Amino acid sequence: MSTLAPVMDLLRQFQDPVVWTGLTQVFVASLLAIIVVGISRYRDLALERELGIALVRGLIQIVAMGSIVGILLTVDLVWSGVILLGMMGGATWISKNRGEGLPGVVRVSFLAIVFGSGLVIVTMTLAGAIEASVRNLVPVGSMIIANAMQINSLALDRFKSEINANRETIEAELALGASPTAVISRHVETGVRASLIPVVDSLKSLGWVWIPGIMAGMILAGENPIYAALYQFVIMAMIFGAGGLTSMTSSLLIGNYVFTEADQLKTIDDADE
């Protein structure tokens, strides 16, 4: 394949008439957004600069991402793994901020996200739920990775809060001879439960309070509504599975890092990576 082929394909995509239709729709949607900016200025909310920057930035970023995806769709399938692994690395970097100060948080987050999201992506690709093509693997995989990242962030944040809030109790139990595993277990469980609340609530409201984007998009594209509903449930189940595996793995691993070799609880805020 010529090195210029992906770029030429991208340029052809910009020449597609549907792009011009999209630009017209962007213009109309922007007019509605400008009304909000105008009201903000009229009411002296001092938000017009922030709103304006957010709108322009959002448009530039999403078009840039669309362009990148357009190029990615032309590469060989083997690159899907490299792209997804890069996304997992980015997810680790973002997620670790929630656990800042926890020992080994980068290492633990990366292992947990790779294990949780990677296992789900590979399994569901083998099952045929994700087509083995760049066009399907990268978008669906990124969605699974992003949700695993968010759930991992919540688990780390809650675990860190639990440790800091219960430090005296934990140290007292250790002094009485309790094992670190026994002492930390309930705090690990609390972190996992808290991290899964958003996705559990989403599952509860699925099809009742909201119709998710993938299902709506499939229906608009002419797919069988029943199949669209079933596939949307598959997506939500994959997100739940990846998130659950990630948060459980992350919480269990991080629990082993918060104690010294002498079974003493480390000072979380000053812990080294």
Side-chain angles (χ1 to χ4, degrees):
M1 177 186 296
S2 171
T3 55
L4 293 177
V7 177
M8 298 304 296
D9 286 339
L10 178 61
L11 291 175
R12 280 193 288 270
Q13 290 178 37
F14 273 103
Q15 295 170 359
D16 192 328
V18 75
V19 171
W20 294 102
T21 301
L23 288 173
T24 302
Q25 295 166 351
V26 166
F27 175 75
V28 176
S30 297
L31 288 178
L32 297 174
I34 289 171
I35 292 174
V36 176
V37 174
I39 294 173
S40 169
R41 184 177 180 83
Y42 176 75
R43 298 195 60 183
D44 294 325
L45 298 178
L47 292 174
E48 54 270 16
R49 177 179 171 81
E50 183 178 356
L51 291 172
I53 291 174
L55 284 169
V56 174
R57 179 178 172 177
L59 177 61
I60 293 173
Q61 288 178 172
I62 199 66
V63 171
M65 176 53 67
S67 300
I68 293 172
V69 170
I71 294 175
L72 293 178
L73 294 179
T74 65
V75 302
D76 295 331
L77 177 61
V78 69
W79 284 99
S80 295
V82 177
I83 295 166
L84 292 176
L85 191 61
M87 289 179 174
M88 292 175 187
T92 298
W93 188 253
I94 295 171
S95 186
K96 64 94 179 175
N97 293 328
R98 289 290 184 176
E100 197 71 50
L102 287 170
V105 65
V106 175
R107 188 180 309 113
V108 165
S109 294
F110 182 70
L111 290 174
I113 291 172
V114 169
F115 173 71
S117 59
L119 181 61
V120 169
I121 291 170
V122 171
T123 301
M124 298 310 292
T125 300
L126 293 175
I130 306 175
E131 183 182 321
S133 66
V134 179
R135 181 177 293 274
N136 285 269
L137 270 172
V138 172
V140 177
S142 69
M143 192 164 31
I144 294 170
I145 293 168
N147 281 274
M149 173 194 72
Q150 292 170 358
I151 292 173
N152 183 62
S153 296
L154 291 172
L156 290 174
D157 184 63
R158 184 55 181 269
F159 179 76
K160 181 179 176 180
S161 298
E162 283 286 309
I163 296 299
N164 286 330
N166 296 280
R167 171 172 289 277
E168 293 183 1
T169 302
I170 293 171
E171 291 176 339
E173 292 177 350
L174 290 172
L176 292 173
S179 68
T181 302
V183 170
I184 210 72
S185 61
R186 66 176 177 274
H187 303 297
V188 169
E189 292 168 2
T190 300
V192 172
R193 281 199 300 269
S195 69
L196 291 176
I197 287 175
V199 70
V200 170
D201 285 348
S202 294
L203 280 169
K204 288 179 179 178
S205 64
L206 189 62
W208 176 33
V209 177
W210 67 302
I211 298 177
I214 289 182
M215 178 179 173
M218 291 176 68
I219 292 174
L220 291 173
E223 283 282 2
N224 182 311
I226 302 301
Y227 174 70
L230 293 173
Y231 191 72
Q232 181 64 69
F233 177 79
V234 170
I235 293 293
M236 293 300 298
M238 286 193 289
I239 289 173
F240 176 77
L245 289 170
T246 299
S247 64
M248 290 177 188
T249 302
S250 178
S251 298
L252 288 171
L253 289 177
I254 206 72
N256 295 326
Y257 280 91
V258 295
F259 295 102
T260 66
E261 293 181 1
D263 291 343
Q264 296 176 321
L265 184 64
K266 293 180 181 178
T267 302
I268 300 303
D269 290 334
D270 299 325
D272 294 328
E273 287 297 303

